[in-house]
Amino acid sequence: MTISLTTVIVLSLGVVTIATPEVCDKYCSPGQSCWPSFEEEVDLYTAMNGHLVTAYTADYAEYVLMPNTRVMKLPFVLVFPKTVDEVITAVNFANKYNIRMTIRSSGHDYIGRSTADGSLQINLMNMTDIKFNMSSSRSPDGEVTVESGNSWLRVYNETSKMGRVIVGGSAHTVSMGGYTLGGGHSPIGRKFGLAIDNLLEVKLVIANGSVVIANENGTTVFDADTGHPYHTSNNDLFWALRGGGGSTYGIVVSFTFRLHKDSKMVVLSCSTPVYDANQNDIGRPFLESLGNVLPNLAPEWGGYLMFSNTQMQNSTSGTMNIFLNHFGEWGSPSFNTIQPFLSNCNAKNVSSFLEYESTVYDPLYYRQYIFNTLVQPDGLTPQFYDFMYSLIGDPRLTTDIGCTGAMIGGNMKNTPAPNTSMNPNMRTGLLSLSCGIAWSSALEDRKWELLGQEFSTKLLKYGKGVYYNEPSAYLPDWKTQYWGGNYHRLLAIKDTWDPYNVFTCYHCVGSDEARLPRPTGATSNQTGNGHFEFHPPVIAVG
Ligand SMILES: Cc1cc2nc3c(=O)[nH]c(=O)nc-3n(C[C@H](O)[C@H](O)[C@H](O)COP(=O)(O)OP(=O)(O)OC[C@H]3O[C@@H](n4cnc5c(N)ncnc54)[C@H](O)[C@@H]3O)c2cc1C
Ligand SMILES: *[C@@H]1O[C@H](CO)[C@@H](O)[C@H](O)[C@H]1NC(C)=O
Ligand SMILES: *[C@@H]1O[C@H](CO)[C@@H](O)[C@H](O)[C@H]1NC(C)=O
Ligand SMILES: *[C@@H]1O[C@H](CO)[C@@H](O)[C@H](O)[C@H]1NC(C)=O
Ligand SMILES: *[C@@H]1O[C@H](CO)[C@@H](O)[C@H](O)[C@H]1NC(C)=O
Ligand SMILES: *[C@@H]1O[C@H](CO)[C@@H](O)[C@H](O)[C@H]1NC(C)=O
Ligand SMILES: *[C@@H]1O[C@H](CO)[C@@H](O)[C@H](O)[C@H]1NC(C)=O
Ligand SMILES: *[C@@H]1O[C@H](CO)[C@@H](O)[C@H](O)[C@H]1NC(C)=O
Ligand SMILES: *[C@@H]1O[C@H](CO)[C@@H](O)[C@H](O)[C@H]1NC(C)=O
Ligand SMILES: *[C@@H]1O[C@H](CO)[C@@H](O)[C@H](O)[C@H]1NC(C)=O
């Protein structure tokens, strides 16, 4: 992971030979005259305690790869902070030279919001602290503070050792960062609410390099020079962080979540051939019978409805799969709300949430275009089932398409919609339905992206709004689709905390705005409109 000074020299020479110096635009790009000099890059390497990778380091390729390979980009410098001070160092460096920053936890964002060409990428994978507080006054079953680079599986494992569960994603390799800031649904989310409903506090580094702690009771800014805290009871920032999306208000270094007591669970795997031996469609009645129990299912139930064309095109062996999980024991009143659908399922008793999660499989890499809608209780119409069949059976699809409907609603309703910036349709809905076309060759990108766009628009008719974390890259009215009526308030809060768009990404709050003119150039004490000042990097020693 270390780079030698020689590689840094090569890096700088590379820039000089390939680049034409130009005037700095909104962000400074590699090769422009505003780009840091060789000595200044070495300063960053030193200040980051060597936690830095560039295009000339052997492991660069490994770190720029995105799980969705379709959205891979080439950041210029990647830093891997281990401490909050190192995050601040990186932010101050990017500010000083007006370099675009990107923030990455797991890199799972489907439309690549965590990467950009020529950016300074802050990769949080090495910030993995986990701290429990089992005598918390604000959460009877305890709380945990987790740094953003943790995978959910690691957090589930540690939480399980305390006899507790935490609301997190189904997939193991996803991290807290973007997942939580976008809302976060979970196999146990119908029971305990969204991830943001269980969020007690957030610690972040904001655009000017200050550390901020935000919770429902207010906001505390720590002075960058003295560390002196300034507290206000204004909790707008916390509201915005609960659903407004990643890459927008700052770099979240840690999240504090409420914990819940663990429980025995029952896991169901329900499947049917799509066609029987006489080519009768038995898949649709199967889906409809799940649809009939869904609106009245107890919140203890969660799970996923999954089907794909690889399953359907094979008329003899095609199957549809539904995975359901019950938080609580077999035979309880909440358990019995699954009747009569239970007869379609194989059942298994498991002793804990971790035991259930340990059986979930994550794909490592994929090339994919996804699209989503939030299906509401009145959405399971005959036309909806027709549409799903037409999508999966579209004759133009000579590649894979699959849909996963994550079960939402339930106790997500218990947090009043105005308390968070999350799309309210997530709380009232039945399914966050995401479909994806997958292929392998980059040469086919355009073809399948266009078809994905077409499907994306059609799917919107069957739901209300779109889940920010399961987005289609083509979404003309994204502000309304993601946040309903909350967009303007989110934007006003963005203006307060990041007036120069130091943080930005594709279809994020404020990403299409003409912002306050940013101070440019490398001079360190230039000021903006009076409340923004560049500060020299904090050199972390250790
Ligand atoms: C296999 C798989 C399973 C999934 N399962 C679920 C699920 O069960 N429930 C669910 O709700 N969603 C799920 N998702 C969607 C998931 O929430 C999004 O992909 C989300 O973007 C992942 O967050 P990340 O931080 O891991 O990803 P990244 O790509 O690293 O980040 C996503 C966005 O957040 C920003 N960001 C990341 N970390 C921070 C931070 N610390 N501070 C500020 N900004 C940050 C990034 O810049 C980017 O804009 C799944 C996705 C995949 C691929
Ligand atoms: C992450 O931390 C590990 C363990 O300290 C270290 O070996 C590794 O080099 C770090 N990774 C990067 C990319 O800095
Ligand atoms: C745990 O939380 C309580 C109250 O919420 C607090 O007083 C205490 O200091 C915390 N303990 C630790 C170790 O942080
Ligand atoms: C907010 O303040 C109230 C009253 O002091 C307290 O009970 C609650 O735990 C605080 N919430 C958080 C998240 O700190
Ligand atoms: C949980 O952590 C322990 C180490 O504390 C490890 O041995 C075990 O394999 C982990 N389990 C899972 C499911 O990751
Ligand atoms: C489809 O079914 C046939 C006959 O059972 C089998 O040979 C074939 O492998 C199946 N194809 C797929 C893609 O499942
Ligand atoms: C699960 O356990 C209960 C007893 O708690 C038992 O009645 C039931 O049959 C078990 N189910 C399965 C599928 O093993
Ligand atoms: C919603 O916000 C109100 C007002 O701040 C607060 O009193 C209430 O406890 C919050 N509800 C939940 C479930 O967080
Ligand atoms: C920066 O500040 C120093 C002293 O405070 C001053 O001498 C210098 O001219 C300033 N530079 C710019 C570009 O404002
Ligand atoms: C950084 O921004 C915050 C929020 O606007 C402000 O309170 C703080 O004073 C700023 N700090 C510096 C060093 O500019």
Side-chain angles (χ1 to χ4, degrees):
M1 220 55 54
T2 54
I3 62 169
S4 67
L5 286 190
T6 331
T7 50
V8 179
I9 291 164
V10 174
L11 160 75
S12 282
L13 291 177
V15 172
V16 172
T17 51
I18 58 170
T20 320
E22 305 156 38
V23 175
C24 275
D25 197 5
K26 189 165 186 311
Y27 299 103
C28 183
S29 299
Q32 292 183 309
S33 55
C34 48
W35 195 261
S37 69
F38 158 67
E39 288 80 6
E40 289 157 337
E41 285 169 4
V42 175
D43 284 348
L44 177 65
Y45 175 74
T46 309
M48 290 303 301
N49 301 303
H51 302 140
L52 184 148
V53 162
T54 75
Y56 295 89
T57 342
D59 37 13
Y60 177 79
E62 175 188 336
Y63 292 122
V64 296
L65 206 53
M66 296 286 280
N68 185 2
T69 55
R70 185 178 75 80
V71 297
M72 190 189 83
K73 293 285 189 312
L74 302 173
F76 200 79
V77 181
L78 299 85
V79 297
F80 298 79
K82 277 184 180 294
T83 62
V84 178
D85 277 352
E86 287 181 4
V87 173
I88 297 169
T89 298
V91 170
N92 285 340
F93 185 86
N95 274 330
K96 184 170 175 187
Y97 299 99
N98 194 24
I99 298 171
R100 173 155 178 203
M101 262 179 282
T102 49
I103 311 167
R104 173 172 171 154
S105 283
S106 77
H108 266 303
D109 191 277
Y110 287 103
I111 56 175
R113 292 179 180 121
S114 37
T115 188
D117 287 339
S119 63
L120 187 160
Q121 184 176 74
I122 301 184
N123 184 325
L124 297 165
M125 64 172 263
N126 258 348
M127 291 190 72
T128 54
D129 213 35
I130 301 182
K131 276 201 184 73
F132 290 93
N133 185 341
M134 303 311 285
S135 50
S136 158
S137 58
R138 53 190 179 181
S139 174
D141 293 325
E143 61 178 60
V144 65
T145 298
V146 283
E147 285 189 331
S148 187
N150 279 293
S151 69
W152 278 117
L153 184 60
R154 179 153 191 268
V155 176
Y156 294 152
N157 195 359
E158 296 308 312
T159 305
S160 178
K161 292 172 190 167
M162 311 298 286
R164 296 293 186 269
V165 293
I166 185 171
V167 172
S170 62
H172 295 162
T173 51
V174 172
S175 298
M176 356 262 74
Y179 165 91
T180 305
L181 297 167
H185 61 65
S186 166
I188 51 174
R190 282 171 42 85
K191 169 75 179 162
F192 296 116
L194 292 162
I196 49 169
D197 302 341
N198 291 278
L199 191 59
L200 295 167
E201 193 163 284
V202 166
K203 184 178 190 179
L204 67 165
V205 175
I206 57 169
N208 68 13
S210 298
V211 172
V212 173
I213 290 180
N215 65 33
E216 63 174 6
N217 289 338
T219 312
T220 308
V221 178
F222 293 84
D223 183 272
D225 297 324
T226 63
H228 188 80
Y230 296 97
H231 179 80
T232 72
S233 60
N234 184 324
N235 63 7
D236 278 0
L237 182 60
F238 191 57
W239 178 84
L241 291 166
R242 295 168 84 188
S247 269
T248 304
Y249 299 99
I251 302 171
V252 174
V253 287
S254 61
F255 298 90
T256 302
F257 291 102
R258 188 178 285 133
L259 298 173
H260 304 278
K261 289 199 177 69
D262 203 352
S263 168
K264 291 184 178 169
M265 291 180 71
V266 183
V267 182
L268 305 182
S269 162
C270 329
S271 61
T272 180
V274 179
Y275 299 98
D276 70 10
N278 300 317
Q279 299 300 304
N280 296 314
D281 176 359
I282 55 174
R284 179 162 169 153
F286 172 80
L287 275 184
E288 287 172 343
S289 70
L290 176 70
N292 291 339
V293 302
L294 218 45
N296 299 313
L297 212 49
E300 282 72 14
W301 284 104
Y304 303 88
L305 177 167
M306 297 166 122
F307 61 115
S308 69
N309 64 345
T310 47
Q311 291 159 349
M312 290 195 52
Q313 276 169 357
N314 197 332
S315 61
T316 46
S317 66
T319 53
M320 275 182 199
N321 294 303
I322 291 166
F323 298 100
L324 299 170
N325 55 272
H326 178 256
F327 192 80
E329 290 196 47
W330 182 278
S332 63
S334 59
F335 178 87
N336 289 328
T337 58
I338 197 66
Q339 305 287 0
F341 188 74
L342 181 62
S343 60
N344 293 304
C345 307
N346 286 318
K348 196 179 157 210
N349 287 314
V350 298
S351 62
S352 67
F353 180 61
L354 181 64
E355 187 183 338
Y356 154 64
E357 269 293 327
S358 303
T359 64
V360 175
Y361 158 81
D362 278 23
L364 211 47
Y365 294 107
Y366 40 87
R367 195 169 197 91
Q368 210 177 26
Y369 187 99
I370 75 149
F371 44 99
N372 167 279
T373 198
L374 300 168
V375 179
Q376 302 297 305
D378 60 3
L380 299 180
T381 58
Q383 293 75 21
F384 168 74
Y385 294 112
D386 289 345
F387 173 70
M388 293 310 289
Y389 261 60
S390 72
L391 193 63
I392 300 296
D394 191 297
R396 289 170 293 175
L397 279 166
T398 52
T399 190
D400 296 345
I401 187 169
C403 293
T404 299
M407 287 164 54
I408 54 175
N411 290 340
M412 291 176 190
K413 285 197 222 34
N414 293 356
T415 299
N419 282 33
T420 72
S421 50
M422 186 70 195
N423 190 330
N425 298 315
M426 182 72 109
R427 302 189 180 281
T428 54
L430 287 181
L431 297 172
S432 176
L433 181 66
S434 293
C435 301
I437 303 177
W439 63 99
S440 50
S441 165
L443 298 173
E444 296 182 357
D445 283 1
R446 188 77 190 134
K447 176 164 91 177
W448 301 123
E449 284 166 7
L450 283 173
L451 194 60
Q453 291 176 11
E454 179 192 318
F455 290 162
S456 165
T457 307
K458 289 181 175 164
L459 180 67
L460 291 177
K461 285 206 280 280
Y462 299 93
K464 286 210 178 86
V466 171
Y467 179 27
Y468 177 86
N469 277 345
E470 294 172 359
S472 164
Y474 176 76
L475 201 57
D477 52 349
W478 54 275
K479 297 175 186 174
T480 316
Q481 295 289 351
Y482 290 151
W483 294 292
N486 290 335
Y487 187 78
H488 292 294
R489 185 172 169 205
L490 283 166
L491 183 61
I493 298 169
K494 169 79 171 169
D495 285 344
T496 303
W497 292 92
D498 182 16
Y500 307 116
N501 248 2
V502 165
F503 303 111
T504 191
C505 56
Y506 183 69
H507 286 179
C508 301
V509 171
S511 60
D512 63 340
E513 297 283 318
R515 317 287 299 174
L516 284 179
R518 229 191 103 103
T520 53
T523 43
S524 62
N525 48 1
Q526 228 169 346
T527 55
N529 58 2
H531 60 85
F532 183 89
E533 228 176 75
F534 290 130
H535 281 263
V538 175
I539 310 289
V541 187

